Each structure stands twice: as C-alpha cells, then as structure tokens.
Amino acid sequence: MGQYFSDTSKNEDRGDLESSFTICFKTTNTESKNITQETIDSIELHLTKGNIQGANSVIRDALKNIDNAPINIAVTGEFGAGKSSLINALMGVGPEDEGAAQVGVVATTMMRTPYKHPKIQTLTLWDLPGIGTVNFPPKDYLEKMKFQEYDFFIIVSATRFTKLELDLAKAIKFMKKNYYFVRTKVDLDLDNEKKRNSHTFDREKTLQQIRSMCVNTFSQNNMDAPQIFLISNSNLSDYDFPVLMDTLVKDLPAQKRHNFMLSLANITEPAIDRKHNSMQQAIWWEACKDGLFATVPVVGILMDDVEKLKEKLNHYRVLFGVDDESLQVMAKDSQVPVEQLKKMIKSPYLLETEKETTLGEMFLKYLEKFASATGGPLATGLYFRKTFYLQFLFLDTVTEDAKILLRQI
C-alpha cells in the first residue's frame, strides 16, 4: 500500500496530456461536447507547444463560461394547451411542488412569468401569454415579450396550431431564433379514440393522423412543416418528449449544453447516459485546469479530501435524482418505503468506511477498472490526483443508481 505509481518527466507529461486530450475529446461526438470546437483547438495548440499554463487558462475561462452561461427558454401557447405542465416537466417538478407553474389556473395576466429551475440556477423557463390572448401582431408581440433574451421558443398546442402561431413562427425565424412546435395531450386523444373505436383502434395510425393534421395546417398556410413533437406531459418517456430533448441539446450552443443536460429528468436510460457523459467531460476539464499531472500516492488516499468528496458525492446524487430528498418524493409517488429504495442503490453508503471494502481499496479497484475499460488517461501514462478518480467512481455509481430506480419505479 505504500508504493507509488511510476514517475514521468515533464516532457512526457505534456505528451501524455496531449495524447489523453485527443482520446477524450477529439473522439467525442460534436453534439455531445460541452466546450466549443474553437476552444478545444486552442487548448490542443497550447499543449502541442508544451504551454500547460496557457492550456489551463483557456480551460478555466471555458468552465467559467459553462457555469455562468444563462439559458432562457420561452414557452408560449393558448390557455389550456398544457404550457404549465410542460414547464413543470422541463423543471422535473410536480404541480404541487414549491416553485412549480400552476396548472389549470385561469389565465389573467398578459405578462411573461419566469420559473427558475430548482437544481440549475442558470436555467429559466418563461411562460408567455398566448399570442391569441394579446392584441399585438407577431413582431410587436416578440418585442413586448423581450424575444432577444431567449435561446429558443417552444410553441405549444393541444389541438391545431393557429394562424397567429404560424405567423409567430415566421417572425421568430426572421429574427434568426429557433422554435419548436409541440402538440400536447396526445395521450388523451388516444384514450378518446380508443373509447370511440375500441374494436378498430390503432395507436400508431392515430398518432400519424394527429401529426398529419398538424402538418396540414402548415401546408394550408403555405409554410414548410417543421418537425412536430407529439408529447404527453403526464407520461414523458412515451411519444416524442425524449426526441424533443435530444433536439434541444443538439441545437444549443456547446457552452449551454452541459447545464441543460443536467436539468433534464431521468425519463430514459439514454437521458441518464447523456448526463453521465457531460459530467465526465466536466470532471476531466476540472482535472486539466488544476494541472493534475502528478503521480497518484496510495497512502493517505482520502484523509485530506474527505469533506470535499462528500460534497461532490452529494452534488452528484442531487443532479441524478438519487439524493435523500428525491428518494422521499419517489417513495411517496410510488408507494414504496424509502428504506426499500435505499437498499436498491449504492451511493448513499459509498463513503461508509466501516464496510469490508475501504475507500482506499475501492479507489485502487476503480483505478484498475478505469484504465482497462477506457484506454484513457491511465493507458497513456497520465495520472490525475486521487480525488478526481474518486469523482469518476461517484459519477458511475449515481448513474447506475438512477438507472436502477428508473427500472424499478
């Protein structure tokens, strides 16, 4: 237990860092990167010149930009279209939770209403009054609603999209902003159709008819039909909600993807994996920023970092919805005792050293697994400080916990 990993020279460190950088980020899909390609190229240029300090400076500025970049999403539609339920779904809260958008309340205001995401403070969802409820033409409506502040618009309808909403889309496009048409309450449409035609009901045919009806509205107004997202606010994993989320992530600027991905609810395993991928990049960037290219001592593996590690683990549990508060909510909704939920997962007990496996042994085991499984930094001879490897362990654990709870509950 007293041994050290083999040392390397500064020049070898630079070569290993450049090699690891290439493996970790040049092979990452463009749509998954949380730092712009221009920034990545700048970091790589510094590394090829052996300028570690310059590379760290660029990474530090990029991470600051990711942490502080505001994300503003405008949601507009007529009263009763399901705007509030969609906003709550995007925030991962129920209608009775603190800070949730009120559902089923009579529309009385002509003003926009902001809703802060409970976990991602840089993310704000804006409830805009439907354009049909205000006496403004589309261009004036956008100016009154401060359209310049939003990253994109979601236009919501529970029936047909109106002529005013189509005109609004034209105005948004003219101003070089993205918009997305969302047709809500398709689950209710399916239920009604099944009741009317119980013997001949065809789920896929009915969904196609709803989609075609929306597309025809565009054709009748001489517009090319965009992608229409059919969703149910009460059953997010069905229909097109996951596709909508993937589309929004892809279309956002790189520096805003990270926090937006972390804001999304754990509705599917791929959604959880995307969170994991983004957090993995963030941990790697933090390691690079701090210049952690030294050897990894095994002795005293946690004594100096245990409090910070506890904070990190708790932070990851919150982001992935496996913290104590989230488990309490899950237990209430699923009618499963919270202690039973805790028995299914590992992260609540990860820092309990009284168990058979000590944290030092856990670290070594994970170190070996990380090197053999990824072919990443360890395989190229680059070693980060012990705490960063444990953060990868924490991340993998909460990710698996989130998947277990999704499958079970």
Side-chain angles (χ1 to χ4, degrees):
M1 293 293 288
Q3 78 179 75
Y4 285 72
F5 292 97
S6 59
D7 223 333
T8 54
S9 69
K10 289 184 179 180
N11 286 336
E12 286 172 330
D13 279 347
R14 285 200 296 267
D16 288 337
L17 177 59
E18 183 183 345
S19 179
S20 295
F21 177 87
T22 301
I23 290 172
C24 289
F25 294 104
K26 301 293 275 189
T27 57
T28 301
N29 292 335
T30 300
E31 295 170 4
S32 299
K33 289 176 180 173
N34 52 27
I35 286 183
T36 64
Q37 188 59 49
E38 182 181 2
T39 300
I40 292 173
D41 291 341
S42 175
I43 295 166
E44 187 175 28
L45 180 61
H46 281 298
L47 293 177
T48 56
K49 294 180 178 179
N51 184 2
I52 301 297
Q53 185 176 356
N56 282 354
S57 177
V58 175
I59 293 171
R60 183 170 57 249
D61 290 344
L63 288 175
K64 185 177 180 181
N65 191 17
I66 288 173
D67 287 339
N68 298 328
I71 306 171
N72 289 282
I73 302 172
V75 183
T76 185
E78 302 307 319
F79 174 68
K83 282 188 302 176
S84 295
S85 294
L86 178 58
I87 288 171
N88 290 337
L90 290 168
M91 292 198 298
V93 300
E96 297 180 358
D97 293 342
E98 183 180 354
Q102 290 183 295
V103 176
V105 177
V106 176
T108 58
T109 178
M110 295 296 103
M111 306 295 290
R112 60 182 191 155
T113 305
Y115 295 95
K116 282 282 186 184
H117 194 281
K119 296 179 182 178
I120 308 298
Q121 292 303 302
T122 56
L123 173 58
T124 306
L125 293 120
W126 295 86
D127 184 350
L128 308 188
I131 189 170
T133 62
V134 292
N135 295 317
F136 305 132
K139 184 175 180 298
D140 292 344
Y141 172 86
L142 288 173
E143 290 177 357
K144 293 282 186 182
M145 296 299 138
K146 303 184 185 299
F147 80 97
Q148 299 261 16
E149 295 182 7
Y150 311 119
D151 290 282
F152 55 83
F153 293 75
I154 298 177
I155 303 174
V156 182
S157 175
T159 54
R160 293 176 181 268
F161 292 104
T162 66
K163 176 68 164 57
L164 279 174
E165 287 169 338
L166 268 57
D167 289 342
L168 175 61
K170 289 179 182 178
I172 295 170
K173 184 177 181 180
F174 179 77
M175 296 170 175
K176 302 188 185 306
K177 295 274 187 176
N178 286 338
Y179 63 87
Y180 306 89
F181 277 98
V182 172
R183 171 61 160 79
T184 59
K185 303 185 181 181
V186 294
D187 53 329
L188 300 181
D189 292 324
L190 289 173
D191 287 344
N192 291 333
E193 179 64 21
K194 189 173 183 179
K195 289 174 184 176
R196 284 193 298 266
N197 301 291
S198 58
H199 297 297
T200 60
F201 173 73
D202 185 320
R203 183 180 186 273
E204 294 306 316
K205 183 179 178 180
T206 304
L207 287 173
Q208 185 55 48
Q209 288 172 343
I210 296 171
R211 198 182 302 275
S212 296
M213 183 181 70
C214 295
V215 170
N216 289 339
T217 304
F218 288 86
S219 301
Q220 292 163 7
N221 287 273
N222 300 314
M223 288 179 65
D224 293 332
Q227 185 173 4
I228 308 292
F229 299 94
L230 309 183
I231 72 167
S232 162
N233 290 328
S234 60
N235 194 349
L236 299 179
S237 60
D238 271 353
Y239 316 108
D240 293 338
F241 189 83
V243 180
L244 173 62
M245 295 302 99
D246 288 346
T247 304
L248 298 182
V249 168
K250 179 186 69 176
D251 290 351
L252 275 170
Q255 70 273 17
K256 298 192 178 189
R257 286 181 192 143
H258 178 64
N259 277 340
F260 184 72
M261 276 194 278
L262 295 183
S263 76
L264 301 179
N266 297 337
I267 58 172
T268 63
E269 290 197 22
I272 295 171
D273 285 334
R274 292 192 85 155
K275 278 188 184 183
H276 176 273
N277 175 270
S278 193
M279 277 305 306
Q280 198 171 50
Q281 289 183 60
I283 294 171
W284 204 95
W285 285 123
E286 284 286 349
C288 289
K289 175 180 71 70
D290 290 347
L292 305 174
F293 314 134
T295 58
V296 186
V298 178
V299 175
I301 193 86
L302 282 174
M303 294 304 294
D304 57 339
D305 297 309
V306 66
E307 289 305 319
K308 289 182 181 179
L309 285 168
K310 283 182 180 178
E311 291 177 8
K312 286 291 184 182
L313 176 56
N314 288 334
H315 178 59
Y316 297 160
R317 289 182 65 201
V318 169
L319 289 177
F320 282 77
V322 296
D323 57 298
D324 291 346
E325 184 177 342
S326 296
L327 291 176
Q328 291 283 357
V329 173
M330 200 177 299
K332 182 180 178 182
D333 292 342
S334 63
Q335 300 296 305
V336 176
V338 69
E339 290 306 318
Q340 185 174 330
L341 294 180
K342 281 190 174 183
K343 288 178 181 178
M344 298 178 186
I345 60 178
K346 296 180 180 179
S347 58
Y349 315 105
L350 205 53
L351 289 177
E352 292 186 2
T353 56
E354 66 270 21
K355 290 184 178 286
E356 291 182 9
T357 303
T358 67
L359 288 175
E361 291 168 342
M362 187 187 300
F363 168 70
L364 287 175
K365 184 176 180 181
Y366 183 73
L367 206 60
E368 181 181 351
K369 173 187 172 185
F370 188 87
S372 61
T374 67
L378 284 177
T380 58
L382 174 64
Y383 302 102
F384 295 149
R385 194 193 302 164
K386 54 192 174 290
T387 53
F388 283 90
Y389 279 110
L390 283 167
Q391 285 183 51
F392 284 123
L393 169 62
F394 295 167
L395 178 61
D396 284 353
T397 303
V398 297
T399 299
E400 185 57 31
D401 284 354
K403 290 181 179 180
I404 288 171
L405 292 174
L406 178 65
R407 295 177 200 132
Q408 295 294 326
I409 305 300

